């Protein structure tokens, strides 16, 4: 929560902009580190959640690895100083240059999603006279009980290898000499708040491990992906996810073999709560039944509400008037450019400062220049 003096200072800054609470980021990273270290688990940060340099540097300094989903993310992670041995590369459509980049930098692992991809990685690695570590991304057919667009672990999905195809993939793998099976990879979706989805995943991993063992295959690494959710409704009450309960569940249910490592790829749960989008009210407009608070941030600055009907808590930081309902909308020429409908807010007037909360993940990194607007600035609590 921001102090009165801080709000006064922030009111003088050109809006819209992202503001990052670096203390909260630090506490969150300390917590995830402590709770995962307790079991010897390794956490990779999913760079796609927020690829801002300051955020990446802070995460790198805590000793986390990097989970990348494009060659550009691999490049960025290496530039920031992540150890290539802690960089994994996932994605259903890796281009040749992206695979070559990973090979040249000797990244830890390619998470592979199909036989054709496996064959190309093998071919490119052979040309370089090297052997690529791969993990098979298996589709565990677990429902993440989250928004349709961010469910990734179901059968009819562009992601991953289906279980019934696994035999074929394993056979093909045994014929290829420039790829080496390092592990299994799973990722069931995002913003998962019901831990029973992860329990289901653990049980599925146990089954698959048994099946592989029957074929004398011992993956060194089990990577269970990311997706842990955060509390968008109550960011001040729950500023950090319960990492302790999360890792404990895996320890309780997932049957690791001796010497096997368990890896995670957390994105949102590490960075969402430390970010806030600050925006000013341009106009308050009366509709037929609705009052519109028109803000200077748009869906180009934060696309989650328009893209996933995502909820973000909206606060008026500079009014303590009587409460009524407002639709909070942006200036973009699209009806979906709306941050919240019938939001209960204190009496709002031109010039008030709004905070759109929990926007540290999939916020700034998804900003675009639609309508030729500018990518919003970022400021950090330890600098300003
Ligand atoms: C997006 C993604 C993640 C991170 O998801 P979060 O919900 O942000 O934790 C992890 N692994 C893969 C493969 C992903 O695509």
């Amino acid at each position: 929560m921001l102090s009165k003096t801080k709000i006064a200072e922030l009111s003088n800054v050109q809006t819209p902009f992202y503001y990052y609470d670096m203390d909260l980021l630090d506490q969150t990273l300390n917590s995830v580190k402590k709770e995962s270290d307790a079991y010897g688990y390794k956490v990779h940060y999913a760079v796609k959640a927020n690829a801002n340099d300051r955020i990446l540097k802070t995460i790198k300094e805590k000793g986390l690895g990097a989970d990348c989903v494009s060659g550009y993310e691999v490049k960025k992670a290496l530039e920031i100083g992540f150890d290539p041995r802690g960089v994994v590369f996932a994605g259903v459509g890796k281009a040749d240059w992206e695979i070559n980049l990973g090979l040249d930098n000797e990244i830890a692992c390619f998470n592979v999603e199909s036989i054709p991809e496996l064959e190309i990685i093998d071919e490119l690695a052979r040309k370089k006279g090297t052997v690529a570590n791969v993990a098979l991304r298996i589709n565990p057919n677990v429902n993440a009980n989250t928004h349709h667009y961010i469910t990734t672990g179901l059968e009819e999905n562009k992601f991953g290898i289906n279980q019934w195809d696994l035999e074929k993939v394993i056979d093909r793998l045994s014929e290829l000499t420039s790829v080496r099976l390092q592990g299994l990879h799973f990722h069931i979706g995002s913003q998962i708040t019901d831990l029973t989805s992860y329990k289901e995943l653990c049980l599925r991993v146990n089954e698959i491990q048994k099946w592989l063992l029957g074929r004398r295959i011992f993956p060194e690494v089990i990577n269970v992906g990311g997706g842990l959710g955060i509390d968008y409704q109550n960011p001040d009450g729950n500023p950090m996810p319960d990492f302790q309960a999360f890792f404990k569940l895996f320890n309780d249910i997932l049957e690791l073999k001796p010497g096997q490592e368990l890896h995670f790829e957390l994105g949102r749960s590490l960075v969402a709560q430390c970010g806030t989008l600050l925006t000013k009210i341009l106009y308050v407009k009366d509709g037929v039944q609705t009052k519109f608070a028109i803000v200077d941030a748009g869906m180009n600055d934060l696309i989650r509400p328009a893209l996933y009907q995502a909820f973000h808590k909206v606060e008026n930081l500079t009014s303590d008037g009587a409460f009524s309902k407002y639709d909070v909308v942006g200036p973009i020429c699209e009806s979906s450019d709306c941050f919240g409908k019938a939001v209960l807010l204190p009496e709002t007037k031109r010039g008030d400062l709004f905070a759109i909360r929990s926007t540290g993940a999939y916020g700034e990194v998804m900003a675009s220049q639609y309508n030729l607007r500018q990518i919003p600035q970022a400021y950090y609590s330890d600098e300003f």
Side-chain angles (χ1 to χ4, degrees):
M1 255 182 295
L2 297 163
S3 67
K4 281 257 183 296
T5 18
K6 188 49 88 183
I7 291 168
E9 280 172 36
L10 292 173
S11 292
N12 294 322
V13 179
Q14 178 68 48
T15 47
F17 62 92
Y18 279 94
Y19 187 68
Y20 293 104
D21 179 342
M22 300 307 275
D23 286 331
L24 180 58
L25 176 61
D26 198 61
Q27 286 167 33
T28 308
L29 295 171
N30 288 342
S31 170
V32 79
K33 198 77 180 90
K34 172 166 170 270
E35 303 303 340
S36 58
D37 280 352
Y39 302 109
Y41 298 161
K42 188 157 184 189
V43 178
H44 294 89
Y45 167 62
V47 173
K48 76 170 188 277
N50 187 318
N52 175 312
D53 283 11
R54 281 272 346 249
I55 304 272
L56 287 177
K57 276 185 194 142
T58 308
I59 292 173
K60 188 217 79 179
E61 242 113 75
K62 295 284 174 185
L64 275 70
D67 164 45
C68 304
V69 290
S70 76
Y72 299 105
E73 283 189 2
V74 172
K75 225 165 107 186
K76 171 66 107 179
L78 296 172
E79 275 165 19
I80 292 290
F82 281 92
D83 184 338
R85 286 166 299 179
V87 172
V88 298
F89 184 11
V92 61
K94 300 179 192 77
D96 294 20
W97 75 265
E98 295 178 295
I99 295 169
N100 280 326
L101 179 81
L103 291 170
D104 289 341
N105 289 285
E106 296 178 35
I107 61 164
C109 192
F110 293 87
N111 294 334
V112 171
E113 310 218 4
S114 67
I115 290 181
E117 184 194 337
L118 197 59
E119 291 171 340
I120 293 300
I121 295 176
D122 179 72
E123 184 187 316
L124 295 174
R126 182 158 346 94
K127 273 189 197 151
K128 290 182 184 292
T130 180
V131 175
N133 283 323
V134 297
L136 299 177
R137 176 165 177 176
I138 300 170
N139 208 330
N141 198 25
V142 168
N143 194 340
N145 294 313
T146 180
H147 190 277
H148 177 63
Y149 283 1
I150 49 178
T151 297
T152 57
L154 288 173
E155 279 164 8
E156 204 54 276
N157 206 297
K158 75 172 177 178
F159 299 105
I161 295 161
N162 284 322
Q163 267 167 268
W164 56 84
D165 286 329
L166 198 52
E167 182 124 42
K168 255 194 303 192
V169 179
I170 296 285
D171 287 346
R172 189 73 188 103
L173 197 56
S174 67
E175 297 162 355
L176 302 173
T177 52
S178 298
V179 283
R180 176 183 157 277
L181 181 67
Q182 184 194 62
L184 303 180
H185 177 227
F186 305 85
H187 176 67
I188 57 174
S190 203
Q191 183 50 19
I192 299 166
T193 49
D194 178 2
L195 286 186
T196 52
S197 296
Y198 286 112
K199 187 178 164 189
E200 262 186 72
L201 171 63
C202 288
L203 296 172
R204 208 59 59 91
V205 173
N206 292 345
E207 279 172 31
I208 295 168
Q209 288 246 76
K210 260 193 209 115
W211 184 88
L212 286 172
L213 215 60
R215 279 155 186 74
R216 310 218 149 272
I217 294 166
F218 307 92
E220 294 149 38
V221 176
I222 303 294
N223 180 340
V224 287
L228 180 62
I230 60 134
D231 192 343
Y232 281 102
Q233 311 289 327
N234 187 8
D236 292 319
N238 288 312
M240 281 191 271
D242 187 348
F243 293 116
Q244 189 176 22
F246 178 68
F247 292 117
K248 183 176 186 301
L249 177 121
F250 287 89
N251 181 61
D252 287 349
I253 302 173
L254 200 142
E255 294 162 6
L256 281 188
K257 309 292 169 214
Q260 214 170 34
E261 288 181 21
L262 187 58
H263 293 190
F264 293 82
E265 300 168 337
L266 298 175
R268 184 194 314 271
S269 54
L270 305 187
V271 294
Q273 296 291 28
C274 76
T276 299
L277 177 59
L278 286 136
T279 179
K280 275 194 180 156
I281 307 311
L282 295 172
Y283 307 101
V284 176
K285 178 177 166 179
D286 288 324
V288 184
Q289 279 162 2
T290 313
K291 277 187 286 191
F292 294 99
I294 302 170
V295 297
D296 62 6
M299 63 191 280
N300 72 297
D301 302 300
L302 175 69
I303 202 174
R304 297 188 70 255
L307 196 57
Y308 313 118
Q309 295 120 33
F311 173 87
H312 286 275
K313 190 169 184 199
V314 180
E315 297 166 338
N316 184 331
L317 300 178
T318 48
S319 163
D320 45 20
F323 279 78
S324 61
K325 285 180 179 164
Y326 296 84
D327 281 10
V328 179
V329 300
I332 309 274
C333 304
E334 299 275 350
S335 298
S336 58
D337 186 26
C338 175
F339 293 110
K341 284 207 187 302
V343 184
L344 204 55
L345 289 165
E347 185 176 20
T348 290
K349 59 185 186 317
R350 177 174 166 84
D352 282 351
L353 185 65
F354 273 22
I356 306 181
R357 302 291 305 275
S358 317
T359 49
Y362 308 107
E364 189 189 352
V365 79
M366 290 178 103
S368 78
Q369 286 196 286
Y370 186 41
N371 286 196
L372 282 190
R373 288 163 56 87
Q374 296 303 297
I375 301 288
Q377 283 284 326
Y379 299 95
Y380 308 89
S381 63
D382 57 349
E383 288 176 354
F384 173 68

